[in-house]
Amino acid sequence: VREHPSEHPDLGQLGRHFAGFVRARFGDRPELGDLATLEWARAVVFFEAPATPIARDALASIGPERFVSAGMRFVPALRLIKLEHNVVGLWRRLEDGLAPEARSDEPVAIAVWRPTFEVFHTAVASDEALALERAMAGAPLAEVCAAFEGREAPAEAAFAALASWLDEGWVAAFDT
């Protein structure tokens, strides 16, 4: 608080610089800053406005002629964060009351979302993270699906990702 005093009328914003503070203070434990980043993303998502997601059958309603140019809008309670260390396992172990294992120096993308009153997070593969990043930036579905071009079955991988996003309640609407 001394290093990063409140700059916002909302006291809930006080911790937004905590991850940077942890990185500066504990440089020999860089995964701790990533853990703080994940915690902050979870807190932000928790306080986002509720929204009603669309169901998977909305994908079929787009139709093949409009699919490539359609865009997606996401619920406010979704974030994609990219971290230098895979802290998903560390989070799980700490949550279960277990001692942390050796850190993972593997970069990771993590989706953080809240469908109801509980916040979830999961690691996503790099191509899915790219697709999600594109979709969240307003790219058309053709460009979103192109993120899977390196897969053996890119169309199936793209459909599986889109279906998963719909099933998890991340998508608020399709723009056609």
Side-chain angles (χ1 to χ4, degrees):
V1 172
R2 276 181 268 211
E3 288 192 31
H4 299 284
S6 180
E7 303 165 343
H8 197 280
D10 177 3
L11 189 57
Q13 296 294 314
L14 187 58
R16 67 179 176 221
H17 299 294
F18 187 63
F21 172 81
V22 169
R23 282 185 181 88
R25 275 290 185 183
F26 302 100
D28 59 327
R29 299 282 313 273
E31 75 279 12
L32 296 180
D34 284 350
L35 197 61
T37 298
L38 175 57
E39 175 66 28
W40 182 251
R42 290 176 57 90
V44 168
V45 161
F46 182 78
F47 287 106
E48 283 291 357
T52 303
I54 58 175
R56 185 193 285 210
D57 60 356
L59 187 58
S61 71
I62 295 174
E65 66 282 348
R66 295 184 320 212
F67 180 84
V68 294
S69 62
M72 304 172 87
R73 278 185 280 134
F74 292 87
V75 297
L78 171 68
R79 295 291 185 281
L80 177 67
I81 58 174
K82 293 183 176 182
L83 304 174
E84 293 179 28
H85 304 88
N86 189 342
V87 295
V88 174
L90 174 58
W91 180 281
R92 189 173 304 117
R93 290 187 64 81
L94 293 172
E95 196 172 50
D96 292 343
L98 301 172
E101 293 180 340
R103 78 170 185 242
S104 167
D105 289 333
E106 170 187 316
V108 66
I110 301 174
V112 182
W113 75 101
R114 177 186 50 81
T116 55
F117 291 107
E118 188 175 358
V119 176
F120 298 96
H121 66 261
T122 190
V124 293
S126 58
D127 55 358
E128 183 176 356
L130 176 60
L132 184 56
E133 194 171 47
R134 288 175 178 176
M136 292 174 89
L141 285 173
E143 188 178 328
V144 171
C145 292
F148 297 96
E149 65 190 2
R151 296 265 185 114
E152 187 173 313
E156 289 84 357
F159 179 78
L162 293 175
S164 170
W165 301 350
L166 288 160
D167 291 345
E168 293 296 348
W170 297 357
V171 183
F174 284 110
D175 296 321
T176 56

